[in-house]
Amino acid sequence: MPAFGYTLMTEQTGPRALVADAAHAESVGFDFEVMSDHFSPWLTSQGHAPYAWSVLGAVAQATEKVELMTYVTCPTQRYHPAVVAQKAATMALLSEDRFVLGLGSGESLNEHTVGPWPSVAVRQDKLAEAIEIIRALHTGELIDHHGTHFEVNSARIWDLPDQPVPIAVAVGGDRAIERFAPLADHLVAVEPSAELVKTWNATSGAPGIPQKARAIGQIPICWGPDEAEAKKRAHDQFRWFAGGFGVNADIPTPAGFAAATAYVTEDDVADAMPCGPDLDRIVEAVSAYWEAGFTDIALVQIGGEDQQRFLDEAAAPLLKKLRAAS
């Protein structure tokens, strides 16, 4: 049976509410929780972008059992990989080994704030080097690294968990999988593609899914008792999703996303994700992930102000249906 997760979406909710939502989601039965790591929301209407790592520390203390994960952090521009290594080790200790470090090559929306946004090839080169640095620092040894993109001088992580922090890496195609699967413990993807899992398992040096590695996916939903209102909310806050990662990675501002999605309609959004009260429709949409071989699926409930009602009224029966269907 797949594990079903809850997304703490920093773009749509402030820090104190995120912590409360995390505890609530655990209490209704979610298996794990993932958190986005943004400097800006995708759209101004979402209205939030707290510092994810501070919130994660609080969430670790407000929860007891759920696994926690960044979904995902870019360790190459806003953050130096040595700092990410330190943060991840501290999170593992605070959560008592409930933390998975999810990494990706980033989006201009968040990373352009501190410098020029590089090409895809450079972003992937930097990510591979960053993973090497994080792995080295998680050994507890004193590290010097003089690479193409990063310098690390006489660095050591002093507070480490007993076991290295698991690393999951976001991938979106064959070339990315071939490069990063041998460097990662788990796969992250936002489309239910069986081909991604197949390519990962065919890659030399990659940990096999599901024997050793997990395939961790994510799907947006907009549950609500009124379907028309849910469609409107999804369009208002989540129409950026229509562009796909290849486009979304290079747009630098919420204003840019608003312009890029000016002609996306409510029906377009509703065709891409389940909206409204029908739990069976949500189950059908989520099922594409486990049918593709994914082991873990995180739900994104759209709308920061709608989390409590979703968790109170829909989450438990939805989880029951998902577990029965899978």
Side-chain angles (χ1 to χ4, degrees):
M1 182 185 297
F4 296 103
Y6 174 78
T7 299
L8 296 159
M9 193 172 186
T10 60
E11 303 95 292
Q12 66 180 15
T13 306
R16 292 179 64 86
L18 284 166
V19 177
D21 291 344
H24 198 169
E26 180 180 61
S27 73
V28 300
F30 281 98
D31 300 308
F32 67 101
E33 299 179 7
V34 304
M35 181 176 285
S36 55
D37 184 355
H38 270 237
F39 196 84
S40 296
W42 299 100
L43 294 166
T44 302
S45 57
Q46 292 178 309
H48 294 278
Y51 181 55
W53 290 86
S54 295
V55 180
L56 279 167
V59 168
Q61 303 309 296
T63 57
E64 297 179 356
K65 296 182 295 184
V66 286
E67 183 181 67
L68 305 174
M69 178 182 175
T70 48
Y71 203 99
V72 291
T73 282
C74 175
T76 64
Q77 192 149 318
R78 249 186 323 145
Y79 310 135
H80 190 284
V83 176
V84 174
Q86 183 188 34
K87 294 193 291 190
T90 299
M91 266 303 303
L93 292 170
L94 285 172
S95 65
E96 298 181 296
D97 295 319
R98 290 185 284 131
F99 182 67
V100 174
L101 177 60
L103 299 177
S105 57
E107 299 99 13
S108 178
L109 177 67
N110 306 302
E111 309 306 324
H112 85 280
T113 55
V114 297
W117 183 233
S119 67
V120 172
V122 172
R123 299 197 306 259
Q124 293 195 347
D125 286 347
K126 292 177 74 173
L127 179 58
E129 189 174 337
I131 294 171
E132 178 186 350
I133 291 167
I134 293 167
R135 294 283 197 196
L137 285 167
H138 281 177
T139 66
E141 300 294 325
L142 188 68
I143 299 300
D144 287 284
H145 175 93
H146 307 291
T148 303
H149 301 286
F150 300 107
E151 289 283 323
V152 181
N153 298 303
S154 301
R156 176 184 172 188
I157 305 299
W158 291 88
D159 291 281
L160 283 168
D162 291 336
Q163 299 297 324
V165 179
I167 294 176
V169 178
V171 293
D174 291 354
R175 291 180 64 183
I177 291 174
E178 289 168 5
R179 181 161 197 183
F180 292 108
L183 305 179
D185 298 303
H186 308 296
L187 173 152
V188 169
V190 292
E191 60 174 321
S193 168
E195 191 63 30
L196 291 177
V197 176
K198 180 180 177 181
T199 302
W200 178 286
N201 282 338
T203 299
S204 178
I209 300 169
Q211 295 83 4
K212 294 182 179 180
R214 296 152 58 187
I216 307 166
Q218 187 183 60
I219 182 170
I221 65 171
C222 196
W223 176 87
D226 184 291
E227 183 173 352
E229 189 281 329
K231 286 172 62 175
K232 182 178 180 180
R233 179 178 2 122
H235 178 263
D236 178 56
Q237 296 199 22
F238 231 82
R239 64 186 182 276
W240 60 270
F241 191 80
F245 183 77
V247 173
N248 292 347
D250 289 320
I251 298 176
T253 63
F257 277 97
T261 57
Y263 298 104
V264 176
T265 68
E266 288 186 14
D267 287 338
D268 292 334
V269 175
D271 286 342
M273 61 194 71
C275 298
D278 189 345
L279 297 184
D280 291 328
R281 186 180 173 202
I282 296 174
V283 171
E284 182 181 2
V286 176
S287 70
Y289 275 93
W290 69 68
E291 289 170 357
F294 281 71
T295 61
D296 301 70
I297 308 148
L299 308 182
V300 183
Q301 164 65 2
I302 297 169
E305 296 180 356
D306 296 274
Q307 299 304 303
Q308 184 170 332
R309 188 170 188 180
F310 168 72
L311 292 168
D312 281 338
E313 299 179 20
L318 175 58
L319 286 168
K320 184 177 180 179
K321 284 178 173 287
L322 286 167
R323 287 167 179 147
S326 61

